[in-house]
């Protein structure tokens, strides 16, 4: 089994209106030291071992469903679970 942590964020070239709204709210609360806010998604997947390469599976999941490759970037971390 693998535990996969997937992080999806808007590309730097894409405007982030939600991040802009959060930044504005933080500034109105006098957190003026916050220079920028980008909003993203975080997912944890548990994937069973198969004959397929785990990196291939995760990349396929991300490009086909979890992220929109036109406007989003993704990265992931894979941990192999120890089953007792």
């Amino acid at each position: 089994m693998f535990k996969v942590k997937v992080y999806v964020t808007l590309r730097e070239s894409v405007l982030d209106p939600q991040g802009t709204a959060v930044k504005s709210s933080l500034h109105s609360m006098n957190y003026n030291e916050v220079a920028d806010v980008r909003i993203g998604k975080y997912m944890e997947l548990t994937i069973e071992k198969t004959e397929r390469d785990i990196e291939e599976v995760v990349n396929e999941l991300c490009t086909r469903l979890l992220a929109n490759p036109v406007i989003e970037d993704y990265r992931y971390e894979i941990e192999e679970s120890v089953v007792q």
Side-chain angles (χ1 to χ4, degrees):
M1 298 273 269
F2 296 97
K3 180 178 181 180
V4 181
K5 298 176 182 179
V6 180
Y7 305 86
V8 179
T9 55
L10 288 171
R11 292 179 181 244
E12 286 294 324
S13 61
V14 176
L15 294 176
D16 184 357
Q18 190 176 8
T20 302
V22 170
K23 176 183 159 186
S24 177
S25 294
L26 290 170
H27 285 184
S28 71
M29 297 170 67
N30 290 323
Y31 292 105
N32 297 315
E33 60 268 28
V34 176
D36 195 24
V37 177
R38 302 287 289 178
I39 303 294
K41 299 180 276 190
Y42 170 75
M43 292 155 266
E44 286 188 5
L45 309 172
T46 302
I47 301 176
E48 294 184 9
K49 278 189 181 184
T50 65
E51 294 176 6
R52 293 181 65 191
D53 177 59
I54 185 65
E55 300 238 359
E56 177 184 324
V57 172
V58 174
N59 276 311
E60 191 174 304
L61 290 169
C62 289
T63 57
R64 294 188 70 196
L65 179 67
L66 301 179
N68 178 346
V70 174
I71 61 169
E72 294 175 317
D73 291 321
Y74 65 88
R75 66 181 175 85
Y76 54 85
E77 301 168 4
I78 298 173
E79 299 173 8
E80 191 160 359
S81 299
V82 177
V83 180
Q84 296 181 349

